[in-house]
Amino acid sequence: MYLNIVFLPLLGSIIAGFFGRFVGVYGSCFITVFCVGLTFCLSCLSFYEVGLAGSGTYLSLMTWLESDSFYVEWAFCFDSLTVVMLIVVTFISTLVHIYSTEYMGGDPHLPRFVSYLSLFTFFMLILVTADNFVQMFVGWEGVGLCSYLLINFWFTRIQANKAAIKAMIVNRIGDFGLALGIFAIFICFGALDYATVFAFSPQLTSCTLSFLNIKFKALDLIGVLLFIGAVGKSAQLGLHTWLPDAMEGPTPVSALIHAATMVTAGVFLLARCSPLLEYCSGALLLISVVGGMTAFFAATTALVQNDLKRVIAYSTCSQLGYMVFACGLSNYSVAVFHLANHAFFKALLFLSAGSVIHAVGDEQDMRKMGGLRRLLPFTYAMMVIGSLALMGMPFLTGFYSKDVILEIAYATYSIPAHFSYWLGSLAAFCTAFYSIRLIALCFLVEPNGSRKLLLSASEGGKAIGFVLGLLAIPSIFVGYFSRDLFIGLGTHFWGSSLFCLPSNLSLIDAEFMSTFSKMLPLCLSIVGGALSFTLYRYYNYNMYFWKTSLVGRKFYTFLSRKWFFDKIYNGFISQNILDFGYHFTYKSIDRGLIESLGPFGLSNVLTSQVQQARVWHSGYLYHYLVIFVWGNLLFGLWFLFGFPSLRIGVLLLFSILWLTL
Amino acid sequence: MDFIHFFFLSALLFVIGVGGVVLNRTNIVVVLMSLELSLLAVSLNFIIFSVCLSDLIGQIFAIFILIVAACESSIGLAIILVYFRVRGSIRIDQASLLKS
């Protein structure tokens, strides 16, 4: 059963990918949906067995790499953390599969699409079930690869190509950090399986490691390097630029990437390495600060985005920032809880957005929508549920995890924690603002789209409705039902899969916060939402003047250009690296040094020398005789006196011959 | 007896022969004659050495060299003759067909 969980999606992917031509569109859709659905059922069973009944499972298949003390095997480890991820991944994946069968219905490459989706799921399952870092890295890279294939699914569009390459490369930067982290782990621990590494991490607190000739505390270095991997995959500040561009792929892909699979891998990595990270106090500090800044940055940027999917993409980035700083504050269980909740409502949001886009003829610009409330009532309802859950409105899913994250940030008495708390609270305000703005612009304001499109706008079919309806249920209830299980005080659920040093425990402190600070994020959210609603519903025309005023324009440009991150990256980093690559490595080294010394230079020198040497063959007998006599003479001289070395003799011979002619 | 003068003589003859071969740019018969001269210088050298070292092998070699020189000059003259039939001239500076 446990192996089937991992390998069934692969089976579906292979059948749909290699034999999609034979089994047909319906056949491949059916097979992949069946395989992933079965995986979901088995995941539920494993959740019961491992999570609720508390019998963790470990499966060792075979040895993979063995070289002296380097020993890696194919092994699967199912503990509480894994099964939570399994449930999330397979549930969202199944629904995305079902959704795609209708959403991508007219596409001629549907078998390829579902094959990639299943492969994506498979690699994500490899990632979460891995028992060692190397196997985890297989999943990690596989997920990146599949994201490339899926973002680039409509490979004839240049924007999709660019976005996919960007996603791949920016991820690769993080992967490089992760790989270095894995090397560092092997240097320090001599092993790469989780059990050994985590068991020995308390012993290595005083160990140092030299990196770039600077001595670091080994554990801090490992923590930071692992975090760099998480930064790339989870789109934290610095390497976040790929995530909004990844919107170029089909909408179900965005849902899968943003909700359940790809971006959650970074948070999963942090949670998985909790026994290690707990001893890296420096790395934790960095993690919490970067997470807080990401949450704030993405939330403010989302305020002014006009692309429907980009708004949701930035909200993903922002929510991931929350999870990451929860990890940085050692509350891994809260982070994973928010991850699970976020997966549900983010999938709902994305798939609803897909439904909207589908209805208005693939128009993604929110300024050209409006008034869809009457046309798409069901999607509207779903979008409202998703947005309210995202805003953390009371008693919806997001409320239970997001407020806890902010509470523990407030309750941890350190500067980075409070820094994160304030940024997180402001981000909560922005989250509410842009969520309501999205709803207002799409559904509430006067219709702005073309008449033809609005007339033909209608709800999606059965599959889309089914998926949205099914996602709405956990988006409303899962936080309430699983709160005590996941983050209730003294819960046994996590067992040994997550670890928190007693000195870092702040969940209890959070119980003794003042009511004001507890209520603050919620109040900010409500104020933000109400402000946004009022502005976009009643003062829509005044907004225009504010935007075009001097200060407003500067502010608006700053936000809509994403804090100029892309501009800075392109101007100072990408362009310089490209220039370096073209002017130095290509023109100077490849075309210059190597070619002019190597093939071309050598042959040029040889041919020119040979041209000169050909003059000697003049055809005149007496010329030949002169050479002959001089040669004999030198040969005789050589025998009589000898030369210091043969080479000098030959050189002399040639130079004398040269002079004679 | 001071052999060194005889050696100088044969060496001088050889150099004159080689010089005749190298410096002559017109007549190919003169080249052949110079070759004969250098061969004669060589055989003279052999004979002088055989007397000097009281060894007969040098004289035997001189006889062989005479035979070889005779053969060589006859074949060479034959080649010149054939060449003259074809070209109508035996100038060396016109025989440069095999340029690079």
Side-chain angles (χ1 to χ4, degrees), chain B residues 22-35:
Chain B
V22 172
L23 299 176
N24 175 35
R25 299 202 166 189
T26 50
N27 197 339
I28 203 161
V29 179
V30 178
V31 172
L32 213 57
M33 285 158 70
S34 306
L35 271 177

Side-chain angles (χ1 to χ4, degrees), chain A residues 72-327:
Chain A
V72 176
E73 59 179 2
W74 286 104
F76 297 93
C77 145
F78 292 81
D79 57 7
S80 306
L81 179 60
T82 301
V83 293
V84 171
M85 291 299 291
L86 281 184
I87 287 274
V88 169
V89 170
T90 55
F91 181 65
I92 305 292
S93 181
T94 310
L95 292 185
V96 166
H97 273 78
I98 297 171
Y99 184 89
S100 311
T101 56
E102 185 179 332
Y103 186 82
M104 304 286 290
D107 199 286
H109 298 294
L110 190 56
R112 182 163 67 91
F113 186 72
V114 288
S115 165
Y116 288 165
L117 283 183
S118 285
L119 194 65
F120 203 137
T121 315
F122 164 70
F123 276 122
M124 191 66 198
L125 295 178
I126 285 275
L127 198 160
V128 297
T129 57
D131 154 77
N132 53 61
F133 282 99
V134 181
Q135 194 182 335
M136 190 271 295
F137 200 66
V138 172
W140 191 272
E141 292 296 310
V143 168
L145 167 74
C146 289
S147 78
Y148 170 80
L149 293 174
L150 282 170
I151 294 167
N152 205 5
F153 178 69
W154 290 315
F155 51 81
T156 47
R157 296 175 55 226
I158 187 81
Q159 287 303 330
N161 299 153
K162 281 156 67 180
I165 290 170
K166 187 174 184 181
M168 191 80 172
I169 290 176
V170 176
N171 262 300
R172 204 54 72 250
I173 297 171
D175 296 346
F176 183 63
L178 178 63
L180 287 181
I182 293 174
F183 299 156
I185 286 173
F186 184 69
I187 289 171
C188 291
F189 293 89
L192 283 173
D193 58 315
Y194 292 146
T196 316
V197 172
F198 296 159
F200 280 99
S201 46
Q203 315 294 327
L204 272 88
T205 43
S206 57
C207 177
T208 59
L209 198 61
S210 179
F211 181 67
L212 295 176
N213 262 344
I214 307 168
K215 266 201 186 316
F216 289 100
K217 277 177 71 183
L219 285 180
D220 272 342
L221 181 67
I222 291 171
V224 170
L225 288 174
L226 292 180
F227 178 57
I228 289 173
V231 164
K233 201 58 96 185
S234 288
Q236 295 301 295
L237 199 65
L239 297 178
H240 64 276
T241 50
W242 68 271
L243 192 66
D245 289 348
M247 291 297 100
E248 293 296 332
T251 311
V253 173
S254 311
L256 202 58
I257 288 180
H258 284 243
T261 51
M262 180 109 172
V263 295
T264 57
V267 181
F268 169 78
L269 174 72
L270 295 180
R272 173 56 88 197
C273 296
S274 58
L276 182 65
L277 286 175
E278 276 304 280
Y279 296 97
C280 322
S281 48
L284 283 179
L285 198 143
L286 177 75
I287 293 172
S288 57
V289 169
V290 172
M293 290 194 320
T294 309
F296 180 67
F297 156 77
T300 51
T301 308
L303 286 179
V304 296
Q305 297 298 314
N306 291 318
D307 188 315
L308 176 59
K309 282 169 77 179
R310 257 164 216 262
V311 176
I312 309 177
Y314 276 108
S315 90
T316 304
C317 201
S318 165
Q319 297 302 310
L320 285 165
Y322 280 110
M323 295 174 212
V324 166
F325 86 68
C327 283

Side-chain angles (χ1 to χ4, degrees), chain A residues 614 617-622 624-626 629, chain B residues 18 21-22 25 92-93 95-96 98-100:
Chain A
R614 274 174 55 184
H617 288 260
S618 58
Y620 292 108
L621 190 62
Y622 38 86
Y624 295 153
L625 281 169
V626 166
V629 169
Chain B
V18 170
V21 170
V22 172
R25 299 202 166 189
I92 301 174
D93 49 6
S96 63
L98 294 174
K99 281 184 192 169
S100 54

